[in-house]
């Protein structure tokens, strides 16, 4: 049978968003530096980005709020580092 290494998932994720690989690398660097987690905000209508973040282990926290400049609703996402 095929051996699953997770490499296909990483490639597929990177294909969804050019930023996915960079986000994963930054998280790994921060975890090695001793950080225990991170947070980011994403527009709730940006389903593609949300899919990438959730695939990388980010989870929505709280309720959406309007962006201070655009007024568009955005959601806070958090990720705990377990490396």
């Amino acid at each position: 049978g095929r051996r699953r290494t997770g490499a296909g998932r990483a490639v597929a994720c990177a294909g969804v968003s050019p930023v996915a690989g960079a986000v994963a690398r930054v998280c790994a660097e921060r975890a090695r530096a001793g950080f225990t987690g991170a947070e980011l905000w994403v527009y709730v209508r940006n389903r593609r980005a949300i899919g990438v973040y959730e695939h990388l282990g980010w989870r929505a926290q709280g309720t959406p709020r309007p962006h201070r400049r655009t007024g568009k609703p955005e959601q806070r996402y958090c990720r705990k580092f377990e490396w």
Side-chain angles (χ1 to χ4, degrees):
R2 280 180 47 196
R3 216 174 100 211
R4 294 183 180 262
T5 63
R9 182 179 299 164
V11 169
C13 191
V16 170
S17 168
V19 218
V23 170
R25 280 190 300 279
V26 169
C27 288
E29 291 168 6
R30 297 297 181 250
R32 284 191 297 275
F35 289 84
T36 59
E39 71 176 56
L40 58 82
W41 290 85
V42 62
Y43 288 126
V44 297
R45 292 187 64 175
N46 191 345
R47 301 304 309 158
R48 187 173 183 180
I50 290 170
V52 169
Y53 295 136
E54 289 179 348
H55 180 80
L56 293 173
W58 296 80
R59 298 295 173 249
Q61 299 290 313
T63 57
R65 69 174 190 195
H67 185 274
R68 67 176 184 235
R69 285 180 294 195
T70 66
K72 295 178 184 179
E74 59 180 356
Q75 176 68 54
R76 177 177 172 232
Y77 274 77
C78 297
R79 167 124 191 254
K80 298 289 182 202
F81 299 146
E82 302 173 25
W83 307 64

